[in-house]
Amino acid sequence: MIESINTYRLQHTLEESFGFSQWHYDTRNNLIVEIVDDSGAVGWGECYGPAAITQCAIDTFYAPLLMGCDPLKNEALWQHCWRASLDFAMKGPMMGAISGLDMALLDLKGKLLGVSVSELMGGRVRDEVPCYATGMYFRNQPKADLLQTILEEASGYVELGFEALKIKIGKNMLFDKELIVLMRERFPAVRLMADSNHAYDLPEAVEIGTLLAEHDYKWFEEPLSPAHPQRFRQLADKVDIPIATGECEQTRFGFQTLLQTGGVQIAQPDLAYCGGPTEALKIRTVASSLGINCVPHCWGTQLNLASAVHFLASAYVEPGRAEVSEPLLEKDLTPNPMRDEMFAVAIQAENGCVKVPTTPGLGVEPSRTVMEKFCVQKTEKKNGR
């Protein structure tokens, strides 16, 4: 029986800001969810999105709905939350709140049953998952200096053993084109991807997508605004590079609409935002029915990272063959002490791969002592009050 649900809104000011096509950040924010049952067992989750809003949604709306419920019935509890807010929250921050709760419930369920989350997701089919390094964001530097900074950062990741890298584009057309070419010249044997964070209109995306294909980039991520999903098919008809998107989408219903036109080749649900790990499995089924693979977007702390690891550890690659190309895990390598210093038990990448946790639950545990250093607001709901 669920006895309490606590949230921790975390914040850290960066020593150096970084940017992408839409914004520049000097502060990182996270929302951590803790669910405690009457045995004292604890499940941890994470919400992606505006932390103050998701914290309020959990504390004032969803947590009271879950008090006294059986945490093993995570699917039923997801539906309970979904139905309670269906009229006004099919998408948006409240679905992000459900995602963090669902993640915490799955972690708790694994601990109560003594199995890892990948086993709850259908069974682990691989013991380690290869990664691609995410980083190479924009800095406040002149063009020539910034290009050199990005190339040097990428070199550091290759030296760490990463065989795949994802760069940021969408700064401006001239800069983007130069970076795309320079990266391929510097790393002829590395698997490269590019993410514009929906920076382009359709003609620009066609121009950039053509250049990416010429230089053997493996996918073009978020080339267009998520407000115009029909344009992904228009773009796909004009370029010879897989289109990846979905970090802004939520639920199996949203992904069905996004994917059914055929323009998206790689679906990217974020397990801390799409509806949680439970809903991500349904999204994977929708994608599979269309012959599309899921490669989760992964941002935030070790909790979201661990969820993505278990998701990929239990994934079958469409359409399948004897020697299949392994799915890639997004490994964010930008500075984040709330990811790298806050966990007593964490997932680490070695030679560009991570081992799948086999301990009960997600297999990562935050340090309460360290978490307190970043916590700017805590909420607590207890059964009966």
Side-chain angles (χ1 to χ4, degrees):
M1 184 171 68
I2 295 175
E3 283 292 314
S4 67
I5 296 179
N6 311 313
T7 68
Y8 304 85
R9 183 155 59 90
L10 312 179
Q11 195 171 87
H12 172 70
T13 301
L14 299 168
E15 292 183 5
E16 181 183 7
S17 64
F18 65 88
F20 58 106
S21 67
Q22 303 298 329
W23 310 103
H24 216 82
Y25 285 124
D26 62 4
T27 304
R28 298 195 73 144
N29 296 277
N30 286 104
L31 185 71
I32 304 298
V33 183
E34 177 188 26
I35 299 181
V36 185
D37 87 333
D38 55 0
S39 72
V42 174
W44 296 96
E46 174 178 358
C47 303
Y48 176 61
I53 296 175
T54 49
Q55 184 175 43
C56 181
I58 291 173
D59 184 54
T60 64
F61 190 86
Y62 292 118
L65 295 176
L66 299 177
M67 287 299 120
C69 293
D70 183 352
L72 294 178
K73 297 180 179 178
N74 58 305
E75 291 256 4
L77 298 184
W78 194 98
Q79 291 293 331
H80 186 45
C81 290
W82 166 256
R83 288 179 56 247
S85 54
L86 181 62
D87 289 351
F88 46 82
M90 290 180 65
K91 292 185 179 182
M94 290 186 75
M95 183 52 61
I98 290 178
S99 302
L101 289 164
D102 181 69
M103 189 184 296
L105 283 168
L106 205 60
D107 183 39
L108 178 55
K109 183 175 183 176
K111 291 171 179 173
L112 292 172
L113 297 178
V115 298
S116 71
V117 163
S118 54
E119 300 302 333
L120 295 176
M121 288 180 165
R124 186 173 62 254
V125 296
R126 54 186 60 83
D127 295 323
E128 65 177 22
V129 180
C131 306
Y132 70 87
T134 285
M136 293 149 286
Y137 283 75
F138 306 141
R139 316 284 182 87
N140 290 315
Q141 295 178 320
K143 175 184 174 182
D145 293 341
L146 178 55
L147 287 168
Q148 188 60 34
T149 295
I150 293 172
L151 289 170
E152 290 175 359
E153 181 182 346
S155 294
Y157 299 149
V158 173
E159 290 173 4
L160 289 173
F162 289 92
E163 298 180 355
L165 309 173
K166 186 173 77 178
I167 63 170
K168 290 293 181 180
I169 54 176
K171 184 174 174 61
N172 61 65
M173 293 292 283
L174 291 177
F175 179 92
D176 297 343
K177 291 177 181 179
E178 190 167 351
L179 177 60
I180 289 165
V181 174
L182 286 172
M183 284 290 294
R184 178 50 72 202
E185 290 176 349
R186 175 72 70 90
F187 307 106
V190 172
R191 188 173 183 177
L192 296 177
M193 292 80 73
D195 181 4
S196 84
N197 295 102
H198 47 83
Y200 305 122
D201 62 21
L202 183 57
E204 291 172 330
V206 171
E207 190 174 347
I208 293 295
T210 300
L211 183 65
L212 289 169
E214 289 174 355
H215 288 82
D216 194 29
Y217 280 66
K218 299 306 181 184
W219 74 59
F220 188 4
E221 184 169 331
E222 284 209 304
L224 302 166
S225 169
H228 306 292
Q230 73 280 2
R231 293 204 166 188
F232 289 113
R233 180 55 190 260
Q234 294 176 272
L235 176 61
D237 288 340
K238 295 177 181 294
V239 297
D240 293 321
I241 183 171
I243 294 170
T245 194
E247 69 183 74
C248 299
E249 192 54 83
Q250 295 173 300
T251 77
R252 76 203 88 150
F253 312 108
F255 272 87
Q256 186 173 45
T257 300
L258 174 66
L259 301 178
Q260 65 188 1
T261 58
V264 177
Q265 289 79 43
I266 300 167
Q268 296 181 301
D270 189 300
L271 275 63
Y273 184 72
C274 72
T278 299
E279 188 66 5
L281 295 177
K282 297 178 173 65
I283 292 167
R284 185 161 73 186
T285 299
V286 169
S288 174
S289 73
L290 298 169
I292 295 171
N293 288 301
C294 285
V295 179
H297 173 262
C298 189
W299 188 255
T301 78
Q302 290 277 333
L303 293 165
N304 201 18
L305 177 65
S307 297
V309 170
H310 287 291
F311 183 84
L312 291 171
S314 61
Y316 288 89
V317 178
E318 298 293 338
R321 59 175 182 267
E323 297 182 16
V324 71
S325 178
E326 291 294 302
L328 289 174
L329 169 73
E330 180 170 22
K331 185 68 173 71
D332 170 32
L333 295 172
T334 56
N336 185 0
M338 295 183 294
R339 178 197 63 224
D340 297 334
E341 301 172 14
M342 197 179 74
F343 283 76
V345 181
I347 292 173
Q348 304 292 345
E350 294 184 12
N351 297 317
C353 291
V354 300
K355 292 191 180 299
V356 181
T358 57
T359 53
L362 288 171
V364 296
E365 292 288 332
S367 164
R368 294 181 185 274
T369 301
V370 180
M371 187 165 62
E372 287 178 1
K373 298 177 181 179
F374 299 107
C375 187
V376 295
Q377 184 175 358
K378 176 184 176 181
T379 67
E380 183 177 21
K381 276 287 182 290
K382 286 187 175 293
N383 191 21
R385 59 183 176 90

